[in-house]
Amino acid sequence: MTETMKNTDDFLPLKAAVHMILVALAEAPRHGYDIVKFVREESGGRIKLATGPLYRHMHRLLEQGLVEERESSVADDDARRIYYGPTLLGLTVLAAENARLAQLVARVSQLGLPRVTGE
Amino acid sequence: MNTGGFLNREDVNRRLARLVANSYPSNIRERVSCPMQQAFLDEVADLGLGGPSWLFFWLDALKDGLFTRVANGFNGGLGGQKKAPQPGRPKQGPFGGLVADLLFAIRGFRKQPLFSVVVVATFALGISINTAVFSLVDGVLLRPLAYEEPEELVMIWDRFEWLGGERTWVHDLQVRDLRANTTRFEEFAAMGMVSGRILGGDRPVHTDVARVSVNFFDMLGVQPVLGRSFREGEDVWRSPWVVMLSHDYWTREFGQDPNVIGRKLVVGYPEMEVVGVLPEDFDYRMYEAVGQRTGADLWIPHMIDYGWWETPIPGAGVAVLARLKDGVSLEEARTELAQLARQHDEKFFENSGFRFEIVALYDDIVNGVKSALFVLIGAVVLVLLIATANITTLLLARTQKRTGELAVRSSLGASRLRLARLLLTENLTLATVGGGLGILLAMVGVDTLVALAPPELPRTDNIQVDGRVLGFSILVTLVAGALSALAPIWLAGRHGPAGSLLDSGRSRMTNVRSQRIRDGLVVAEFALSTILLAGAGLMVRSFVSLTSVDTGFESESRLTFSVYLMDDYEGVEPRYGFFTELQDRIEALPGVLNVGSTSALPLSATGYGPVFGSRQDFSINQNGVYPGQGIEPPPGIVTTDDWTVAAFNTALPGYVDASGINLKWGREFRDSDDLNNVSVVMIDEQLASDFFSGRNPVGDGIWVLDEWRTVVGVVGTAQHVAYGSPARPQVYFPYGQVESGRVSVVVTTSGDPLALMPAIREQVAGINPLVPVADVRTMKSIVDESLAGRKFIMMLMTAFAVCAIVLAAIGIFGVLSFLVSQRRREIAVRIAVGAGAGSVARLVVLRGVGLAVFGSGIGLALSLGLSRGVESMLYDVTPRDPVSFALAFVSVLVVGVLATWTPARRAVSVDPATILREE
């Protein structure tokens, strides 16, 4: 696998939308609009992702080898819907980004900054 | 739902999804177009949008696509991404739709005839002059000489320091020595010209006869079409004379009769046997060598007897052609000749500073005209660049008017590459039409060019628009076509489609940027025009100073012709008798005012030799050592410093008067200046001031041609060499005392000079019907011919400069017109709020003038650097001649202002009410 030869750090940090796309695909293979819905719902509408931009990102992710096309998991689904899933590299990058964010949050909490209350 | 007459919702959504998907750059589309469309449909269906929110949904989607495209820039379309076949679309090869593009282009041009005509005409102009000048350069410079392995052929010349290092003939004894004592040369051939006379027609005809070594034709690799070449031994003195005919002469005189071989020919020599006929394309001319510009009709062996001379005579001899051995470089050959030259200097020339000069035959032929041709090609390339810039500005304006169309194409899925190809196809179509027209023009023009070409331009037979030239022209056409489309394509790709669709065809960014490009192009056009104008100015100024030079003789109303006396007249006295009688007879003709004769007319080459100072007054001092061979210095002179080299000329009584030369002191020759009387000379002012410090030298003597001769007259200096060459002082010998082969008669007439010729021929025939008359012409034409080369360059440069400035004017006109039409609204507002006509006009004019001044300034700076390249072509004008430069600057400025006139008037006449209502 050539993907593993790439340095995962090269892809970091991920854009919020891209991060969420990878999360969506890591959970289950999804098709286009499914991803949009997932991202909108799971981010509580904070990450705005429209279909066009999604495919812009998908184009890059496909090119970078982070995601790949998958066989449809639903038997009688429309053939025009293409399902996507993460590659091994995609999962590695997602893990690295999660770790980076976790580390960042941990560092920031050490600084003793005021917390946002009421949430 | 209404599914019958109108499209249903789903259908509309599907189409919109496709449109949006297609608005993305091709690289994205290739990969995800299909699922993306489906995702849009899923989303629309899921959200159940209707009304305005439905519209905004699609508009947002489209905006993202177009913005992505803009952000992607040109790279998106042209970047080296691998193309996967697109689903749902027929695969198009690189030329798919080309015909459609072409048809569309042609339809477009018919809608805009003015635009098309201007672009085609501009291309035609640029291509035609480039084709014409290239065919000139190709024929003269680029084509290899039509001989066997021409790169091995070299010319060898003598150079003597005491002659000012000027190249001169190699003596036959030296040629013999070259053959014997060199190792790096295959062989040598000697060449010379003699006069021949052809009898048998209505009247005797003079002809140039080429005299060449017997190995000459083999050496060049020339095979006769009939008969044979010369044989070994046919150049030995007193062997039977043989002759080869030129193809032209064979055709003219013998109707290509194959039985000509073996016929006897009488050409002023003993009978000669015709042994061969040369091929039609054989065209060896000894250009600089002997000043022969038309091919010789007859070729004879260079027959000599080495016993004639004890030692080589400087400046007397032959042109030498040699072939280097395989693999020997010119440098190696030069080294060997340098060694041999040292021996010759010591053995023959008393260490007077003798050298051989060796130069490749090709260089020998073209060196004189190379720089002029380079200047011409440079000039036409500049004109082509201006033409290209001009077309670019026109295209930019047109492309900008078409942004709407291009945006629609783009939105409907035309890739960036596809749009680029459309623009390129359109422009190449125009370029092709213009180029084709230009080539046709050039074909006609080249003949004119060759006809106008000065006689010193060699190899003119090679000049033609053939396959090579055609290939060049087609290439230039395509390059110019592509080059001029570059900026419009770039601009269309960068900003055009995306923004324009949303912005109803008026994108400010695009405007500013394209305006900037157009301004830059106009500045460049003016800069290049200034260079050409400055160059043309230098040429014109040179020519003017050349023609205003006092030549020292008169050329108006003067007829001249040459008379060749053959062996029928041996020695000075019979020849002198012939010409005295001829002058008397001509003088008696009605319409003749004066008559005189000389061996060398003004502006033609003369012989030359050393002249020693008077007994009283050795004031001159020439560096170098007189070789002391062949011509003896005066007895008793131990120092060899007191001499100079002078041009030798002979004259009959009446010559000074007839040719309008100023007689300063003393007298002209008279009939009694013959062998029975004391030896006399006339000298010119230059020699008088050299030798006698400007005092009246009449009665003093100079030592020349082996004796003291008394100066009887001092005449004004007549230009006897080509303009611009350094002139030597001159000595005139009386023809009654010193003979010369050819004699040119000068006749001053009261009417049309050439009308006298029949009567004069009658008089010549009356004395001797076998004497040929040749070179009939007016003195005026001799002067014109000597100026022809410079005139040719000057005229062409001026023509190119005019083309350049006209193109530049069209350029600035176009840019300003476009500016005015783009800013009509702004101008209307200005006028509406009270701006006067003056301030509106100033807006336009100042812009035009600003561009012109800026461009011209850059052009002047560049000209200062470039003008040194033409220095050798100038006469009495420095390469930084302020007058030429100022004229160029002012002309560009004037043209710039004139070109702003119409646009400015159009701006002033803007009617605010109409315009503002329009908007």
Side-chain angles (χ1 to χ4, degrees):
Chain A
M1 288 272 270
T2 51
E3 283 95 327
T4 51
M5 290 162 72
K6 291 181 189 164
N7 192 348
T8 49
D9 285 341
D10 289 347
F11 297 100
L12 304 186
L14 292 175
K15 282 181 182 165
V18 173
H19 184 217
M20 283 308 287
I21 292 171
L22 282 178
V23 170
L25 297 182
E27 202 221 20
R30 291 170 200 278
H31 64 81
Y33 185 54
D34 207 2
I35 304 172
V36 173
K37 276 200 297 193
F38 179 91
V39 171
R40 280 179 190 162
E41 281 160 21
E42 291 305 310
S43 70
R46 287 198 177 83
I47 294 176
K48 296 193 166 52
L49 181 64
T51 306
L54 163 77
Y55 273 100
R56 245 175 28 220
H57 295 313
M58 290 306 293
H59 167 70
R60 269 189 73 74
L61 289 169
L62 283 164
E63 217 171 44
Q64 291 169 335
L66 299 185
V67 302
E68 61 193 4
E69 294 179 6
R70 291 279 171 82
E71 289 295 318
S72 167
S73 58
V74 187
D76 62 346
D77 206 347
D78 195 325
R80 283 171 302 179
R81 290 200 185 96
I82 292 174
Y83 280 73
Y84 297 97
T87 60
L88 185 57
L89 177 67
L91 289 175
T92 318
V93 168
L94 177 60
E97 173 72 354
N98 289 342
R100 185 186 70 83
L101 289 174
Q103 217 175 357
L104 186 67
V105 172
R107 287 287 301 276
V108 169
S109 21
Q110 282 171 7
L111 293 175
L113 295 172
R115 284 161 194 264
V116 178
T117 54
E119 178 108 301
Chain B
M1 253 206 190
N2 180 5
T3 50
F6 203 65
L7 295 167
N8 61 39
R9 215 358 141 33
E10 219 171 79
D11 227 307
V12 172
N13 280 336
R14 203 168 298 129
R15 275 158 195 267
L16 285 169
R18 197 181 309 142
L19 176 72
V20 169
N22 279 338
S23 70
Y24 281 86
S26 59
N27 54 340
I28 292 185
R29 248 172 15 214
E30 273 158 22
R31 221 162 184 148
V32 296
S33 173
C34 237
M36 183 197 272
Q37 288 176 37
Q38 187 55 45
F40 276 124
L41 294 177
D42 287 345
E43 185 169 12
V44 169
D46 189 43
L47 297 177
L49 296 168
S53 53
W54 173 83
L55 191 66
F56 279 120
F57 171 81
W58 285 116
L59 278 180
D60 268 347
L62 185 64
K63 186 197 74 188
D64 185 72
L66 293 174
F67 274 38
T68 307
R69 187 179 276 252
V70 173
N72 243 26
F74 221 29
N75 327 334
L78 293 176
Q81 314 245 349
K82 268 187 281 167
K83 287 216 167 186
Q86 287 178 32
R89 280 186 60 175
K91 190 175 177 246
Q92 283 193 338
F95 299 109
L98 201 59
V99 175
D101 281 359
L102 203 64
L103 292 176
F104 181 81
I106 292 168
R107 233 177 300 137
F109 301 147
R110 283 174 58 184
K111 268 189 253 163
Q112 281 185 298
L114 185 65
F115 165 81
S116 313
V117 165
V118 170
V119 172
V120 165
T122 309
F123 271 124
L125 178 70
I127 298 298
S128 66
I129 61 174
N130 270 273
T131 304
V133 170
F134 178 75
S135 66
L136 210 68
V137 170
D138 184 51
V140 177
L141 293 185
L142 300 184
R143 270 166 220 261
L145 300 174
Y147 308 120
E148 204 174 279
E149 297 181 67
E151 65 286 349
E152 289 178 356
L153 294 170
V154 295
M155 295 289 294
I156 296 171
W157 302 95
D158 276 4
R159 275 180 185 273
F160 294 95
E161 222 160 79
W162 61 274
L163 275 177
E166 197 172 290
R167 59 156 60 165
T168 174
W169 316 112
V170 181
H171 194 266
D172 279 299
L173 290 180
Q174 291 180 282
V175 178
R176 185 172 63 172
D177 207 52
L178 282 168
R179 286 201 173 106
N181 295 319
T182 54
T183 57
R184 289 175 178 165
F185 295 86
E186 196 75 43
E187 49 188 331
F188 297 86
M191 307 176 286
M193 296 295 291
V194 287
S195 286
R197 171 180 57 178
I198 298 166
L199 303 174
D202 300 346
R203 55 183 187 225
V205 174
H206 169 262
T207 185
D208 285 326
V209 180
R211 234 163 35 134
V212 294
S213 300
V214 289
N215 61 336
F216 177 76
F217 295 109
D218 289 342
M219 196 166 143
L220 292 175
V222 172
Q223 296 294 325
V225 288
L226 203 66
R228 59 169 178 89
S229 287
F230 299 135
R231 288 196 187 122
E232 204 59 41
E234 282 180 333
D235 56 351
V236 175
W237 186 239
R238 293 205 186 287
S239 52
W241 281 101
V242 289
V243 60
M244 291 178 77
L245 311 181
S246 75
H247 197 275
D248 184 46
Y249 185 72
W250 178 51
T251 308
R252 214 168 56 218
E253 297 295 322
F254 297 97
Q256 302 206 345
D257 177 9
N259 296 319
V260 73
I261 304 298
R263 293 263 288 268
K264 302 286 186 194
L265 219 61
V266 179
V267 282
Y269 293 89
E271 277 188 338
M272 295 177 173
E273 186 187 334
V274 177
V275 295
V277 175
L278 289 162
E280 194 169 4
D281 61 355
F282 176 71
D283 177 41
Y284 193 95
R285 299 179 193 198
M286 301 170 204
Y287 297 100
E288 257 192 272
V290 247
Q292 174 215 4
R293 275 150 196 168
T294 50
D297 283 333
L298 304 173
W299 297 74
I300 59 173
H302 178 58
M303 203 181 275
I304 46 161
D305 181 350
Y306 291 111
W308 288 341
W309 312 279
E310 280 173 23
T311 177
I313 300 162
V318 288
V320 173
L321 178 72
R323 184 179 280 284
L324 301 177
K325 278 191 178 154
D326 275 350
V328 171
S329 73
L330 194 63
E331 222 28 69
E332 288 167 329
R334 188 169 285 138
T335 313
E336 181 167 43
L337 283 189
Q339 284 164 1
L340 194 68
R342 272 193 291 280
Q343 290 173 27
H344 282 203
D345 200 11
E346 197 182 322
K347 202 160 61 179
F348 301 136
F349 305 121
E350 305 193 343
N351 290 318
S352 60
F354 165 78
R355 286 182 292 131
F356 278 120
E357 181 192 337
I358 175 169
V359 53
L361 177 62
Y362 167 83
D363 291 327
D364 202 81
I365 293 174
V366 304
N367 267 355
V369 297
K370 227 178 194 168
S371 57
L373 287 177
F374 282 151
V375 167
L376 285 186
I377 204 98
V380 294
V381 167
L382 289 188
V383 175
L384 186 68
L385 284 179
I386 294 172
T388 308
N390 226 358
I391 292 162
T392 304
T393 61
L394 291 169
L395 281 181
L396 278 174
R398 183 165 188 258
T399 310
Q400 200 163 348
K401 282 181 192 156
R402 291 170 62 186
T403 37
E405 174 212 325
L406 295 177
V408 168
R409 281 171 173 275
S410 176
S411 307
L412 291 178
S415 68
R416 208 156 293 271
L417 188 64
R418 190 75 172 62
L419 285 186
R421 204 186 65 191
L422 175 73
L423 292 176
L424 197 62
T425 308
E426 288 183 357
N427 201 40
L428 286 182
T429 309
L430 291 175
T432 308
V433 175
L437 214 65
I439 291 170
L440 286 180
L441 277 174
M443 283 173 165
V444 181
V446 160
D447 289 342
T448 320
L449 213 57
V450 171
L452 287 174
E456 61 260 37
L457 187 71
R459 308 182 72 197
T460 45
D461 287 357
N462 286 326
I463 299 171
Q464 51 183 326
V465 180
D466 63 357
R468 276 166 69 100
V469 176
L470 221 57
F472 166 85
S473 305
I474 291 170
L475 193 75
V476 169
T477 303
L478 294 182
V479 168
L483 211 62
S484 51
L486 222 54
I489 289 174
W490 178 76
L491 210 65
R494 201 172 160 86
H495 303 289
S500 328
L501 198 60
L502 300 172
D503 207 26
S504 71
R506 199 162 294 184
S507 157
R508 187 123 293 276
M509 269 299 284
T510 309
N511 245 342
V512 169
R513 207 173 288 256
S514 98
Q515 187 61 44
R516 211 168 285 157
I517 293 177
R518 275 197 301 269
D519 286 355
L521 288 168
V522 167
V523 167
E525 283 184 50
F526 274 101
L528 297 178
S529 304
T530 308
I531 295 176
L532 282 171
L533 279 171
L538 288 173
M539 298 295 160
V540 172
R541 293 253 301 149
S542 287
F543 191 74
V544 169
S545 40
L546 206 53
T547 46
S548 55
V549 164
D550 179 16
T551 56
F553 64 92
E554 298 287 336
S555 58
E556 293 299 334
S557 303
R558 278 168 170 84
L559 172 75
T560 168
F561 58 93
S562 299
V563 176
Y564 294 84
L565 294 183
M566 300 291 160
D567 318 6
D568 332 338
Y569 295 84
E570 283 274 18
V572 172
E573 276 169 331
R575 285 169 174 254
Y576 187 46
F578 176 91
F579 283 110
T580 308
E581 187 182 350
L582 181 62
Q583 290 202 164
D584 288 347
R585 280 173 174 243
I586 291 174
E587 199 144 30
L589 291 173
V592 171
L593 302 177
N594 281 305
V595 60
S597 311
T598 179
S599 58
L601 288 171
L603 301 171
S604 64
T606 63
Y608 46 80
V611 181
F612 293 82
S614 81
R615 271 164 290 199
Q616 292 90 354
D617 190 346
F618 290 135
S619 63
I620 48 142
N621 197 329
Q622 186 101 0
N623 287 331
V625 183
Y626 170 61
Q629 300 282 350
I631 302 165
E632 291 301 316
I637 299 288
V638 183
T639 164
T640 51
D641 283 345
D642 305 309
W643 58 280
T644 189
V645 177
F648 288 175
N649 205 345
T650 62
L652 270 93
Y655 173 67
V656 170
D657 208 18
S659 56
I661 294 172
N662 178 28
L663 182 65
K664 205 173 170 202
W665 281 308
R667 62 166 174 89
E668 174 162 22
F669 295 137
R670 54 188 174 216
D671 288 347
S672 58
D673 289 327
D674 57 19
L675 289 177
N676 303 319
N677 285 295
V678 63
S679 296
V680 296
V681 287
M682 289 190 295
I683 62 175
D684 75 342
E685 276 176 301
Q686 200 181 334
L687 192 64
S689 78
D690 276 359
F691 272 22
F692 304 100
S693 323
R695 68 180 169 78
N696 183 349
V698 171
D700 281 330
I702 59 171
W703 177 274
V704 58
L705 292 186
D706 305 339
E707 62 177 306
W708 287 110
R709 292 167 192 265
T710 307
V711 175
V712 293
V714 175
V715 294
T717 299
Q719 189 82 29
H720 64 92
V721 287
Y723 289 111
S725 312
R728 291 205 172 90
Q730 294 175 82
V731 178
Y732 294 83
F733 301 97
Y735 195 79
Q737 292 173 347
V738 177
E739 65 169 306
S740 67
R742 180 181 77 164
V743 168
S744 296
V745 181
V746 178
V747 183
T748 317
T749 65
S750 55
D752 173 21
L754 290 173
L756 269 173
M757 212 47 223
I760 289 174
R761 281 186 195 280
E762 224 167 86
Q763 295 309 317
V764 176
I767 306 173
N768 185 339
L770 298 181
V771 169
V773 169
D775 312 329
V776 177
R777 51 201 308 199
T778 61
M779 280 303 285
K780 189 91 183 61
S781 72
I782 291 179
V783 173
D784 289 346
E785 186 173 292
S786 73
L787 293 169
R790 287 167 185 275
K791 193 172 179 181
F792 185 65
I793 300 289
M794 176 196 72
M795 280 181 355
L796 287 182
M797 285 293 286
T798 309
F800 297 156
V802 169
C803 289
I805 194 70
V806 167
L807 287 176
I810 294 175
I812 202 165
F813 173 81
V815 164
L816 290 177
S817 299
F818 189 73
L819 185 82
V820 169
S821 75
Q822 288 278 298
R823 291 171 69 177
R824 257 174 357 145
R825 230 177 77 159
E826 178 203 325
I827 293 169
V829 171
R830 278 170 189 258
I831 293 177
V833 299
S839 73
V840 171
R842 207 177 305 130
L843 189 78
V844 178
V845 171
L846 279 185
R847 176 148 199 137
V849 171
L851 293 177
V853 169
F854 188 40
S856 194
I858 294 174
L860 281 187
L862 291 174
S863 305
L864 284 176
L866 288 171
S867 64
R868 233 167 279 152
V870 299
E871 189 162 12
S872 66
M873 296 161 63
L874 301 181
Y875 180 85
D876 204 24
V877 172
T878 73
R880 296 182 159 219
D881 178 44
V883 177
S884 307
F885 282 58
L887 275 176
F889 187 76
V890 170
S891 334
V892 167
L893 217 61
V894 167
V895 169
V897 171
L898 287 180
T900 60
W901 179 250
T902 312
R905 238 184 27 194
R906 203 173 295 158
V908 170
S909 65
V910 160
D911 174 17
T914 324
I915 302 285
L916 295 176
R917 209 172 298 132
E918 249 174 42
E919 304 279 332

